[in-house]
Amino acid sequence: MTGYQLADDISLQGRNTFRVPARAAMMADVKRGDALAELYDFAMLRDGPVMVLGEGSNLLFANDFPGVVICLTMAEIRILEDDGEHALVRADAGVGWNDLVGWTLARGLCGLENMALIPGTVGACPIQNIGAYGVEVGEFIETVEAFQRDTGQIKRLSKSDCEFAYRDSLFKQQLDRWVITAVELRLPRQRELKLDYAGVHEELAAMGIATPRAVHVAEAIGRLRTRKLPNPAIVGNAGSFFKNPIVPAAQALALKEAHSALPMYPGDSEATRKISAAWMIETAGWKGFRDGDAGISAQHALVLVNHGNATGAQLLALAHRVADSVQEKFAVALEPEPRLIGARWQSS
């Protein structure tokens, strides 16, 4: 039995959380990672554009996709090793990310609780090095298993091979080269909880939790995200659209002196700081803005929303207007977090 199924001229509107109209020339639903080698023998995959699509929660279609969209459907989770203090968990690419978070917490493993309720699949998580509330997935990934398109083989990449950085990785830099088939994470049974991000302590207190465990943190963060971010099932969106900029420390301190309310966090080195894109966007007057069906969420200034019939091109045009405004007001360049399909981001 073949490990994949092919179909021509497929609508992608129901396969992206922005719910913008787009079509793919061909779609391949893949049930087994070892079927990718045979699939890539087709000339259309070997020579043409190919995109791997999970839940479509971290991308914006600014146009149709002229090639083949691959959807990985394998979705097994299992423990490979467990020494009582740490467990090595393997999850297939098609597993829902939040399903993995819940699965690990139910087995007494911690580490992923701060990333509860992030939409998307396990296969997408290393590409973006997803993170939330002070934690990134790259901290826990031990191995990424991926099909290497140029060699036609499955390869196992170590954490150092993955070149993880803030919302970045080898896979993001080489999108056309890799198809992630599984991720292996080494998770502890005990770990100091990360509670110092805005709102977490307060939410735990509101829940009546004085001595929190990882499962309580996941619930608190789930409640925060549900309250702060619009539900993609109701309003089309891809979560945070802009990255928090990492800027030289001197620039950040000068901005903080000029704007005392600007939230600032440690950067990726002693010489840098991370500053809040949401605060700058809101201060520039964009929160709740709407132009036709393209808008900025009234719940959170970082979230670009489709109120119904906006196209990807219209949403992208609005994102550029927001970024230009922040550049003019704060002299800080904003970069998009989701992948842009059919367009390039032009920084002002």
Side-chain angles (χ1 to χ4, degrees), residues 237-250:
N237 74 90
S240 298
F241 191 84
F242 293 103
K243 301 176 188 177
N244 285 321
I246 295 177
V247 301

Side-chain angles (χ1 to χ4, degrees), residues 296-317:
I296 304 297
S297 172
Q299 288 176 259
H300 200 301
L302 266 190
V303 182
L304 201 65
V305 292
N306 177 8
H307 288 287
N309 296 307
T311 65
Q314 289 168 336
L315 289 163
L316 185 58

Side-chain angles (χ1 to χ4, degrees), residues 143-155:
T143 305
V144 172
E145 185 184 275
F147 176 79
Q148 191 171 344
R149 183 176 173 182
D150 48 353
T151 66
Q153 296 180 328
I154 297 282
K155 184 173 180 180

Side-chain angles (χ1 to χ4, degrees), residues 164-291:
F164 291 125
Y166 175 59
R167 302 298 180 268
D168 201 9
S169 69
L170 170 76
F171 311 107
K172 188 171 182 179
Q173 298 302 320
Q174 301 177 2
L175 277 171
D176 292 334
R177 190 180 184 197
W178 303 99
V179 180
I180 294 170
T181 54
V183 176
E184 295 173 8
L185 306 100
R186 192 167 293 275
L187 300 172
R189 294 198 176 276
Q190 291 192 350
R191 155 186 165 93
E192 184 178 351
L193 299 175
K194 295 272 185 114
L195 306 175
D196 51 355
Y197 232 77
V200 179
H201 275 294
E202 293 82 355
E203 194 65 34
L204 287 165
M207 291 163 56
I209 305 295
T211 309
R213 292 181 288 114
V215 67
H216 298 132
V217 175
E219 182 182 350
I221 284 171
R223 288 166 59 142
L224 282 168
R225 289 183 69 90
T226 300
R227 199 161 59 244
K228 290 170 64 174
L229 299 173
N231 185 344
I234 299 170
V235 179
N237 74 90
S240 298
F241 191 84
F242 293 103
K243 301 176 188 177
N244 285 321
I246 295 177
V247 301
Q251 181 184 1
L253 293 170
L255 281 166
K256 184 73 172 174
E257 188 172 338
H259 308 278
S260 61
L262 171 66
M264 189 167 63
Y265 311 100
D268 50 12
S269 72
E270 288 293 324
T272 62
R273 299 290 185 274
K274 187 190 296 184
I275 57 176
S276 171
W279 186 89
M280 291 187 290
I281 293 167
E282 184 169 350
T283 302
W286 290 101
K287 187 176 182 181
F289 177 85
R290 180 170 177 171
D291 182 0

Side-chain angles (χ1 to χ4, degrees), residues 108-155:
L109 300 169
C110 54
L112 307 185
E113 59 274 1
N114 288 50
M115 295 178 281
L117 225 60
I118 292 179
T121 58
V122 166
C125 77
I127 298 172
Q128 195 75 1
N129 187 19
I130 62 170
Y133 292 90
V135 179
E136 292 180 339
V137 72
E139 179 182 346
F140 303 99
I141 288 177
E142 186 163 294
T143 305
V144 172
E145 185 184 275
F147 176 79
Q148 191 171 344
R149 183 176 173 182
D150 48 353
T151 66
Q153 296 180 328
I154 297 282
K155 184 173 180 180

